[in-house]
Amino acid sequence: MAVGPTTRRRQLGADLRRLRELKRLTLEEAGARVGISKATLSRYETKEGTVKWPAVDALCREYGASDEERQALVELAKGAKIQGWWRSLADPIPDSMNLMLTLEDEVVREDHYACMYIPGLLQTRAYAEAVHRASEVQCPEREVQHMVDIRMKRQELLDREEPPHIWCVVDEAALRRRVGGHEVMREQLQHLLATSERPHVTVQVLPFAKGAHAAAVGSFAVLRGPSRELDVVYVDLLGGGLFMEKPKELDRYRLAFEYLSAQALDLESSAETIHRISKEF
């Protein structure tokens, strides 16, 4: 899979920090050696904002990086300016959605636990519209359609030549919660079944009978990058979402997803359950 701009930027930040720490330099010391401030170098390492490749080149020389590694990091710095398709949209999008689109454009795998609604990547348009209308009760219809358009555009990653593996553990509550009426739900569950047959999509059902479980706090997704250090966790919150990337946070949610997947039904039983519930609508 091609490495996108945000992954390049995040990889660059992680590598610059690693090289600095190997030299046992503080941010202030390292920045002073190449003529940039502590705040600027901190921003470089926290994987946000733009970078100047000459500064990256100078830092690599101060850190004693090999010519090969220095050239690779300079190329990362140069490639981090490319923007994704959503940057050209006429209407603005929420910051959390902007980051989700950016990260999702570059993931190799997504692990979703869904307790409220079917995961966005697997939603039908009618279901997505009903979700947005319910979640944003004062949202104008034009804005609803704008957000649903973005969600439908997101789903194109499933049709890539090398799509990421989408693994979803869906709580039975999300399958039974009537969103948009019986016809919308029936169509949604049939779509979920059809999508689960794709080789790069895995859908498991976590039935009520399993009782308490590892993610009673709510829905989340682990967005997995080309390397483990580039993983990010997204947690649903009222009015947006929270992104986390600290190692302890990542480990907690990775482990939670492993437990949820182990507790959920196998693929065949999950498909049978979805089919049975769809008949109830």
Side-chain angles (χ1 to χ4, degrees):
M1 175 175 290
V3 179
T6 300
T7 294
R8 286 193 289 268
R9 180 64 184 88
R10 298 176 70 231
Q11 184 68 64
L12 174 63
D15 286 342
L16 287 176
R17 180 174 182 175
R18 173 179 55 80
L19 289 171
R20 177 179 61 79
E21 291 178 342
L22 285 173
K23 292 291 286 186
R24 299 182 182 279
L25 294 172
T26 65
L27 286 167
E28 190 170 8
E29 291 169 341
R33 292 190 180 191
V34 298
I36 62 176
S37 68
K38 174 184 176 181
T40 297
L41 182 51
S42 176
R43 178 172 56 78
Y44 279 24
E45 292 186 7
T46 51
K47 314 163 192 174
E48 298 176 357
T50 59
V51 294
K52 296 181 178 179
W53 72 260
V56 171
D57 183 84
L59 285 166
C60 288
R61 293 178 188 276
E62 286 293 334
Y63 296 155
S66 67
D67 287 344
E68 183 179 3
E69 185 168 26
R70 176 175 57 81
Q71 291 168 6
L73 293 188
V74 167
E75 287 305 309
L76 283 176
K78 291 179 178 178
K81 295 182 180 180
I82 303 169
Q83 295 185 332
W85 57 264
W86 53 94
R87 302 286 188 175
S88 62
L89 292 175
D91 293 328
I93 60 176
D95 289 342
S96 61
M97 177 58 69
N98 180 59
L99 182 54
M100 171 64 83
L101 292 169
T102 304
L103 295 171
E104 203 164 57
D105 200 43
E106 303 160 14
V107 295
V108 297
R109 173 173 158 176
E110 293 188 25
D111 295 339
H112 290 260
Y113 168 64
C115 65
M116 180 67 70
Y117 301 122
I118 305 301
L121 288 174
L122 308 183
Q123 291 179 3
T124 64
R125 185 175 189 93
Y127 184 94
E129 289 175 351
V131 168
H132 276 289
R133 291 190 185 107
S135 301
E136 304 290 343
V137 292
Q138 295 182 327
C139 185
E141 183 63 21
R142 180 175 179 273
E143 188 173 331
V144 169
Q145 295 304 321
H146 173 57
M147 295 306 296
V148 173
D149 285 343
I150 293 173
R151 179 158 297 183
M152 296 300 103
K153 182 72 175 178
R154 277 178 62 203
Q155 294 180 5
E156 291 183 8
L157 68 82
L158 298 175
D159 298 317
R160 290 177 186 165
E161 186 174 338
E162 295 182 47
H165 187 166
I166 308 300
W167 194 316
C168 302
V169 175
V170 183
D171 197 283
E172 185 176 345
L175 300 177
R176 294 189 176 279
R177 179 170 289 105
R178 191 179 68 179
V179 175
H182 286 266
E183 184 176 343
V184 170
M185 282 303 302
R186 185 165 54 250
E187 178 191 35
Q188 173 59 70
L189 295 182
Q190 290 171 351
H191 177 72
L192 182 61
L193 273 175
T195 308
S196 69
E197 295 177 356
R198 295 191 178 200
H200 56 279
V201 177
T202 301
V203 176
Q204 292 181 274
V205 174
L206 185 64
F208 288 145
K210 290 293 182 178
H213 53 72
V217 292
S219 301
F220 67 88
V222 182
L223 308 177
R224 298 180 183 265
S227 62
R228 188 175 176 87
E229 65 183 2
L230 296 179
D231 290 357
V232 177
V233 169
Y234 173 80
V235 179
D236 271 341
L237 297 174
L238 184 64
L242 175 66
F243 291 88
M244 298 180 287
E245 57 180 347
K246 292 181 179 178
K248 287 186 178 179
E249 295 168 340
L250 288 168
D251 288 342
R252 178 184 179 187
Y253 280 93
R254 289 190 193 107
L255 184 60
F257 188 81
E258 289 177 10
Y259 277 123
L260 289 163
S261 180
Q263 288 178 286
L265 300 175
D266 61 35
L267 302 187
E268 184 177 351
S269 298
S270 294
E272 291 173 352
T273 299
I274 296 170
H275 178 71
R276 185 179 69 253
I277 294 175
S278 72
K279 294 296 184 182
E280 297 175 12
F281 289 104

